[in-house]
Amino acid sequence: MSLSTARYILCADAVTAAGFNLDISVAVAQADLDMYETRPISDEDSKATVAPITYLDAEENTADKYFAMLALLVTQLAVNLPGSLPPVPVYVRMPQTITQQQLDNWYQTWRPDSGLEKVLGRVVLSHHTEHTHFSDVLKSLNEEEVVMAISVDYPISALDTLSQRNLLQTSRHPWGVIASEGAAGAVLASRSMVEALKLTPQARLDSWHCEQGAGEQLMSSALRKQSKAVDDFGLLFSDMTNLRSQNEEYGFAIGARGERLTNPEQLVLSHSLWGYLGEASLFATLALALHHSDSQRVRSLFLFGANDSRAMMTLTLSEQGPTVT
């Protein structure tokens, strides 16, 4: 991504089983507070470890629950929007069960009550994978100056499906994922807007690359192409789970390009904090990378996501800190 078309991240946040914003989520997770439970799996004797969101007044696996997560996150992100902007469009990736009509109906009721009617613009629903959704959001900045991008997912509702694919963590299968649920998002801005309003974003997006397809060499290909655009990868973050296949794929990638990485074995893993967020993993890992305290300003993300595609992102934190002024 050239500097002439650079994108900036004004802020990012997440709603997870560990808390209703990123800072609380990390604090609760690091304190090792008990946020996990076990649930039976159909046609099996073993139980799966899961991490549900329990602090919202909505029934699990319902549209009300998804919209409650969305409302929390939009409110948190909107607080960081700079003044003197036209209403900012909201691009939301949600599960297939949610329709544009459902989203519109909820939004038309919630937005006036939220006090954010003058801040937030239209809402656009996507059912694309998180990597495609993020690419679409970046493309939208060719027309928009600022966008709010969010992804909501609930892997905890698909225990039987995940079990059939041998992906769940159980007493018999310790290498599986801890299914959770949540929402995460970010506010992105064009270079022209950042310079015109003299904003201090949290970070500049230096490079983004997505590889579509499947196979153990996909992440290796993403890393190879990212290496052509990035000189310094800095601190490493990932939404990689403890699935053996993903660990082997990461090992294969760094085996070919490990000389470009400093301490490639020292990954900060979002999954280890609040469980598997599926299609919301990209933005949750991005928020973690922005909030993580370290003097190293450059951060790179290895993004495995919930589907076959693989992606990499490299960003540089602003010297003046993460607060938008």
Side-chain angles (χ1 to χ4, degrees), residues 66-67 70 92-96 98 103 125-127 151-152:
Y66 314 145
F67 290 136
L70 179 59
V92 185
R93 188 272 162 202
M94 298 189 81
Q96 294 281 348
I98 302 299
L103 180 60
L125 176 66
S126 171
H127 289 142
S151 186
V152 180

Side-chain angles (χ1 to χ4, degrees), residues 37-50 158-179 242-243 271:
E37 59 184 67
T38 59
R39 294 190 182 179
I41 306 170
S42 297
D43 302 324
E44 288 193 25
D45 295 330
S46 60
K47 293 184 177 181
T49 302
V50 298
L159 293 186
D160 291 343
T161 300
L162 292 171
S163 175
Q164 292 169 5
R165 297 172 59 195
N166 205 29
L167 298 180
L168 281 179
Q169 178 176 308
T170 67
S171 56
R172 298 180 180 178
H173 188 241
W175 293 100
V177 302
I178 297 175
N242 57 350
L243 290 170
H271 170 266

Side-chain angles (χ1 to χ4, degrees), residues 1-8 142 190-192 195 204:
M1 181 174 294
S2 68
L3 290 179
S4 61
T5 58
R7 306 307 191 207
Y8 289 83
N142 292 329
S190 66
R191 180 185 181 91
S192 59
E195 292 181 344
R204 181 186 70 227

Side-chain angles (χ1 to χ4, degrees), residues 179-247:
S180 188
E181 57 188 342
V187 177
L188 295 93
S190 66
R191 180 185 181 91
S192 59
M193 176 59 72
V194 167
E195 292 181 344
L197 296 185
K198 295 181 171 58
L199 303 177
T200 302
Q202 279 194 284
R204 181 186 70 227
L205 179 60
D206 296 322
S207 185
W208 158 260
H209 182 77
C210 179
E211 285 284 302
Q212 302 287 345
E216 64 179 12
Q217 297 188 17
L218 209 60
M219 183 57 79
S220 179
S221 177
L223 175 57
R224 182 175 65 255
K225 293 179 180 178
Q226 188 78 345
S227 297
K228 297 178 181 179
V230 174
D231 294 324
D232 179 13
F233 283 91
L235 293 178
L236 304 180
F237 297 78
S238 182
D239 60 2
M240 179 175 66
T241 68
N242 57 350
L243 290 170
R244 284 188 176 182
S245 59
Q246 292 189 359
N247 280 268

